[in-house]
């Protein structure tokens, strides 16, 4: 009995809506007879054929280009048929329905063409490419990252991952770990010579080299994660500190209403900007003050603001230089700073920015001073935001796309290698423990390309893909 992974699948591979061209894609083993019956002619591999696809009554559904890719020389590694027709939602749905109907029709021997043909799940075509060794897991994820890329830098980094640059470096490190493991485990069979053998094989030097390579790879992965995911920046401050003006200045457009009236912003406004290709999701929040002084709507806005502060990667606390002579304002600002310090998590950075430098004669001697209205100090603020985000401009040309799971796997690998090196500093290191640390490092590293990846993680990864890819 065929498993679900062996079922032939079909899906519309182009976005929903009206367009010039729409693509219906089928993938499965021994798809040739079904394809020939559908288009009523023999299809030459990897050649475009203009065909008319007719329904059960002989009426034309659409004229399309049919391209047949016999496996294993296809995207999925199975037989693949692509129908490139007109991009209307109804006509594409009719093509899919006709294919599903035709698959269940029987031949002269009363055998259905493809009785198990079904609609594909999100990401199932790329999942099959992974399962059939056409792509490793990092490359498969790069397919989705390339589609979702928001900047040119993100496109280039996803392209490098799709070409296998990230996977190649991971495989090189994995092979180096395997070599070290073989040397250590060989010593376990000859305990009387183990320490001398470890020194002769320069195991410590090999692990130090691996550690150095891991550090560089981790830095680039963290850069790649920034390009892919960006960071969440929350602008906080008292009413009328200039939060909405700062959002407009960062966005380069009037996306938020700015008035002299305190409490103009009642809810959270979000705008995504790009600095050196890094997406930054900026949130302008309601002015924060004592709840007793606010009305009900304003209190709801402040509650939402604090919720976003807890989840932020970076909080910019805005200080109004025009009110630095007001003792009540200074006290409220100090209380606000203390509360943000208590609220923010360990991964949240806090940056105090002095705004409205254009309204005072003397700027503070320390701190970042800007004017959200005139633009003074904005280049320095953008630079500081990237610095706090961990962006290193010198690494951006060689960066590949990465995800949180990639970074976590590299961190785990680095920790196990560090534990192994720590064992080697002992007078009589336990070689079985040393071998185990190297094995765990190798396992964590191999999860990046899918060689040691559980099925539930695969389901989570591919379920986030679009249908038809």
């Amino acid at each position: 009995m065929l498993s679900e992974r062996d079922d032939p699948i079909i899906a519309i591979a182009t976005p929903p809506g009206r367009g010039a061209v729409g693509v219906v894609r089928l993938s499965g083993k021994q798809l040739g007879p079904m394809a020939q019956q559908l288009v009523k002619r023999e299809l030459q591999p990897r050649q475009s054929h203009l065909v008319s696809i007719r329904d059960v009554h002989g009426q034309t559904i659409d004229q399309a280009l049919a391209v047949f890719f016999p496996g294993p020389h296809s995207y999925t590694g199975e037989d693949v048929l692509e129908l490139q027709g007109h991009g209307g939602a109804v006509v594409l749905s009719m093509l899919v329905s006709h294919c599903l109907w035709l698959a269940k029709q029987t031949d002269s021997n009363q055998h259905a063409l493809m009785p198990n043909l079904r609609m594909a799940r999100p990401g199932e075509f790329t999942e099959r490419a992974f399962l059939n060794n056409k792509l490793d897991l990092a490359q498969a994820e790069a397919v989705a990252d390339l589609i979702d890329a928001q900047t040119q830098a993100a496109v280039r980094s996803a392209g490098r991952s799709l070409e296998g640059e990230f996977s190649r470096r991971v495989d090189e490190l994995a092979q180096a770990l395997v070599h070290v493991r073989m040397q250590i485990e060989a010593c376990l069979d000859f305990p009387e010579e183990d320490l001398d053998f470890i020194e002769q094989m320069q195991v410590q030097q090999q692990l130090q080299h691996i550690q150095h390579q891991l550090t560089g790879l981790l830095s680039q992965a963290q850069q790649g994660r920034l390009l892919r995911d960006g960071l969440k920046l929350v602008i906080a401050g008292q009413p009328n500190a200039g939060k909405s003006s700062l959002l407009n200045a960062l966005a380069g457009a009037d996306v938020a209403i700015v008035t002299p009236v305190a409490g103009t912003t009642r809810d959270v406004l979000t705008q995504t900007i790009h600095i050196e290709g890094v997406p930054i999701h900026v949130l302008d929040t309601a002015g924060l003050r004592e709840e007793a002084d606010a009305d009900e709507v304003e209190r709801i806005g402040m509650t939402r603001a604090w919720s976003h502060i807890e989840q932020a990667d970076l909080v910019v606390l805005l200080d109004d230089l025009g009110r630095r002579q007001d003792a009540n304002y200074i006290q409220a600002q100090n209380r606000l700073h203390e509360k943000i310090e208590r609220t923010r998590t360990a991964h949240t950075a806090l940056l105090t920015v002095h705004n409205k430098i254009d309204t005072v004669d003397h700027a503070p001697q320390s701190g970042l001073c800007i004017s959200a209205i005139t633009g003074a100090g904005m280049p320095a603020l953008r630079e500081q935001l990237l610095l706090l985000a961990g962006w290193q401009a010198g690494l951006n040309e060689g960066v590949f796309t990465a995800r949180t799971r990639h970074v976590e796997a590299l961190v785990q690998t680095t920790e196990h290698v560090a534990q192994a090196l720590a064992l080697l500093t002992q007078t009589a290191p336990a070689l079985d423990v040393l071998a185990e640390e190297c094995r765990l490092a190798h396992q964590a590293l191999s999860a990046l390309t899918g060689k040691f990846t559980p099925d539930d993680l695969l389901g989570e990864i591919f379920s986030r893909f679009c249908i038809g890819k």
Side-chain angles (χ1 to χ4, degrees):
M1 182 176 178
L2 293 177
S3 69
E4 191 179 59
R5 284 181 175 175
D6 293 320
D7 288 346
I9 53 175
I10 183 172
I12 299 172
T14 41
R18 183 171 176 266
V21 177
V23 176
V24 172
R25 178 179 290 160
L26 297 90
S27 179
K29 298 174 182 176
Q30 299 179 345
L31 190 60
M34 166 77 180
Q36 188 169 341
Q37 185 66 24
L38 178 66
V39 302
K40 304 300 183 184
R41 61 176 294 181
E42 186 176 351
L43 296 175
Q44 297 301 313
R46 292 172 294 281
Q47 293 185 19
S48 297
H49 303 80
L50 181 62
V51 298
S52 292
I53 300 179
R54 303 179 186 277
D55 64 15
V56 63
H57 304 294
Q59 295 182 336
T60 300
I61 298 174
D62 195 13
Q63 276 196 327
L65 289 177
V67 187
F68 182 61
F69 302 90
H73 306 296
S74 68
Y75 180 72
T76 64
E78 304 171 336
D79 292 347
V80 170
L81 174 66
E82 285 196 357
L83 302 173
Q84 303 170 11
H86 295 89
V90 175
V91 68
L92 291 174
S93 295
M94 289 175 67
L95 283 175
V96 170
S97 297
H98 180 64
C99 289
L100 291 169
W101 172 84
L102 182 62
K104 293 178 171 54
Q105 303 312 299
T106 57
D107 56 20
S108 58
N109 296 319
Q110 300 301 307
H111 294 144
L113 284 171
M114 301 196 86
N116 296 314
L117 180 66
R118 60 172 174 81
M119 296 297 295
R121 299 188 305 270
E124 192 167 4
F125 288 93
T126 304
E127 181 181 12
R128 292 192 176 195
F130 164 70
L131 294 173
N132 293 323
N133 297 315
K134 302 296 289 185
L135 301 169
D136 65 33
L137 191 56
Q139 290 175 300
E141 290 171 303
V143 172
D145 294 340
L146 186 61
I147 294 170
D148 295 336
Q150 302 178 46
T151 66
Q152 292 183 9
V155 167
R156 288 192 291 269
S157 68
R160 281 189 282 268
S161 286
L162 184 56
E163 290 175 351
E165 183 175 335
F166 182 36
S167 303
R168 177 184 56 78
R169 294 185 60 184
V170 169
D171 286 339
E172 288 174 354
L173 282 169
Q175 289 300 316
L177 278 169
V178 167
H179 184 67
V180 173
R181 285 180 61 192
M182 289 172 57
Q183 294 174 335
I184 297 171
E185 290 172 10
C187 293
L188 296 176
D189 296 328
F190 305 97
E192 67 279 1
E193 301 176 6
D194 52 9
L195 294 181
D196 291 338
F197 188 74
I198 288 290
E199 291 179 2
Q200 291 171 8
M201 294 297 101
Q202 297 183 318
V203 169
Q204 185 174 22
Q205 290 87 336
Q206 291 181 64
L207 285 173
Q208 286 172 341
H209 178 72
I210 290 171
Q211 186 181 50
H212 176 72
Q213 295 297 316
L214 277 170
T215 300
L217 190 61
L218 178 58
S219 294
Q220 287 193 302
Q222 289 169 331
Q223 298 280 99
R225 179 174 61 172
L226 266 179
L227 280 178
R228 178 185 182 272
D229 298 333
L231 74 154
K232 182 177 180 180
L233 165 64
V234 173
I235 304 174
Q238 296 187 59
N240 264 2
K243 298 181 297 299
S244 297
S245 295
L246 178 56
L247 172 62
N248 290 342
L250 288 170
D254 292 333
V255 295
I257 298 173
V258 177
T259 75
V261 180
T264 298
T265 302
R266 298 298 187 98
D267 204 350
V268 177
L269 301 177
T270 304
Q271 182 72 20
T272 298
I273 65 171
H274 301 99
I275 304 177
E276 291 190 20
V278 179
I280 300 179
H281 312 293
V282 186
L283 284 75
D284 173 25
T285 59
L288 300 175
R289 56 177 172 171
E290 297 296 333
E291 290 194 9
D293 300 329
D295 59 35
E296 183 178 357
V297 175
E298 198 174 353
R299 284 195 293 270
I300 293 173
M302 289 192 292
T303 300
R304 293 182 178 179
W306 284 112
S307 175
H308 284 292
I309 288 172
E310 291 176 0
Q311 303 166 14
D313 298 305
L314 174 60
V315 176
V316 169
L317 175 58
L318 218 53
D319 173 37
D320 184 352
L321 289 176
R323 287 185 276 174
R324 294 298 294 178
Q325 304 303 318
D326 185 340
N328 292 331
Y329 170 81
I330 295 295
Q331 291 178 1
Q333 189 73 1
N334 291 337
R335 288 195 299 269
L336 181 56
H337 184 277
E338 292 172 359
K339 187 172 181 180
I340 292 176
E341 286 284 13
R342 294 194 305 269
T343 302
R344 70 187 180 102
T345 58
H347 84 277
T348 304
L350 174 60
L351 174 65
T352 297
V353 176
H354 305 293
N355 189 28
K356 303 184 183 180
I357 192 175
D358 55 309
T359 65
V360 297
D361 296 328
H362 302 288
Q365 295 297 317
S366 60
L368 188 58
C369 298
I370 68 164
S371 170
I373 297 298
T374 68
M378 291 301 296
L381 174 59
R382 291 186 176 91
E383 184 178 338
Q384 187 67 18
L385 293 179
L386 287 179
L387 182 65
L388 290 172
W391 180 250
Q392 301 175 53
L395 292 179
N396 59 347
E397 284 306 317
V399 164
F400 35 76
T401 189
R403 302 180 174 210
T404 298
R405 80 166 193 94
H406 300 158
V407 173
E408 290 174 349
L410 288 170
V411 168
Q412 290 176 12
T413 306
T414 303
E415 290 173 349
H416 289 303
V417 171
Q419 289 289 339
L421 284 168
L423 286 168
L424 286 173
T425 62
Q426 299 176 6
T427 305
L431 294 189
D432 55 343
V433 179
L434 180 62
E436 177 64 8
E437 289 294 344
C438 290
R439 186 191 70 81
L440 291 172
H442 180 226
Q443 182 173 308
L445 194 62
S446 297
L448 289 168
T449 53
K451 293 180 180 176
F452 291 101
T453 305
D455 285 348
D456 55 349
L457 178 58
L458 293 181
E460 171 67 19
I461 290 171
F462 289 108
S463 68
R464 298 178 183 274
F465 279 52
C466 55
I467 294 175
K469 195 59 182 172

